[in-house]
Every structure is written in structure tokens, then in C-alpha cells.
Amino acid sequence: RGTSLCRRLGHGPEGKMADDDVLAPYKEKCLVLVTEKPSNELWLVAQRKIKTQLESKLDKNSYILVDGVEEANRPLRAAIWKLAGCKAGTYPVLLLFNEVIDYGQCEDFQFLLDSGEFDPKFKSLLKAQ
């Protein structure tokens, strides 16, 4: 789990969009799967932390918050959970260039902030100074 988990998804059954295709539009972005109705207080805290840090550090066009509850986001949500290797219904899930950074309570994300590794890892998406 976390920063060491970066793997490519396989293609789905014929007639269905492959996970790679669903995620392809986001390969140059930071993508965060969130829910407006978290069932877990720790996920709510993690979502707020991620949103706050992204808003303060990244260019507003470089990251996307995806509401996992919206029916239109169902294929994207499923592809994100599959890539992360986490249980369906897990929030938040943070991807950078379609690499899993963290999910759930987001301890790895907090480590990136505490260790000073956030800025170098997200360098190309940072706000202009």
C-alpha cells in the first residue's frame, strides 16, 4: 500500500471500457476519490487534510476531486479502487499520475508532508511562486 504501489491495470471484458482507458484522461493530474457522505470519521479527516493541502499547494487545474457517490463516476471509482488494491467503499484515494499515493486514513500522505517529500513528488503541479 502507499507510494510503493504503482501498477498497471489489465483490460476488462469485451464491450466494457478497460480500466486503463477510464484512468487515461487523468495521467497528467492528481486525482482524489472522495465522498460527500463518509461513513468513517477518519476518512472525513483524511479527505479534509488532502483537500486543504492540495488547495494550498497545487495549481487549481492540476488536481481533480471525484465524488465517488455520483452514479456517473461509477466506472472511474471502480478503476481507482482496483488500482489501489483497496476495498470498494474506501475513501479517500489519492492518485498522482495514476500512481497510488495513499488511501483510507492516509498515513503515507501525512508522511509526504512531514518529511518534505510532497513538494518534490508533486513538483510539476505546484502553484507558481
Side-chain angles (χ1 to χ4, degrees):
R1 169 167 122 74
T3 55
S4 64
L5 182 62
C6 178
R7 50 194 155 111
R8 193 161 169 77
L9 298 175
H11 292 278
E14 281 198 36
K16 295 201 175 201
M17 186 178 286
D19 295 330
D20 287 336
D21 295 339
V22 173
L23 291 168
Y26 307 101
K27 67 182 177 185
E28 302 298 325
K29 304 259 185 197
C30 175
L31 184 65
V32 187
L33 179 64
V34 297
T35 178
E36 295 305 315
K37 300 174 184 175
S39 61
N40 179 318
E41 186 67 29
L42 295 174
W43 292 351
L44 177 63
V45 170
Q47 282 185 178
R48 286 183 185 155
K49 182 188 318 179
I50 290 171
K51 285 181 185 179
T52 301
Q53 291 300 321
L54 297 183
E55 287 170 0
S56 70
K57 292 181 169 282
L58 301 186
D59 180 72
K60 69 179 180 176
N61 295 317
S62 66
Y63 67 93
I64 300 169
L65 300 174
V66 176
D67 185 352
V69 175
E70 288 186 26
E71 188 62 29
N73 294 330
R74 186 179 215 168
L76 180 56
R77 174 184 73 197
I80 291 170
W81 285 329
K82 184 175 177 183
L83 178 65
C86 62
K87 199 169 66 168
T90 300
Y91 294 97
V93 181
L94 175 64
L95 304 181
L96 176 63
F97 310 133
N98 290 344
E99 173 189 344
V100 178
I101 301 300
D102 211 355
Y103 60 85
Q105 295 180 30
C106 294
E107 296 94 355
D108 291 343
F109 180 74
Q110 185 62 51
F111 175 78
L112 287 175
L113 296 170
D114 294 344
S115 67
E117 293 180 29
F118 180 93
D119 287 3
K121 188 154 191 76
F122 288 76
K123 183 178 182 177
S124 65
L125 304 180
L126 293 174
K127 288 180 180 177
Q129 298 291 329

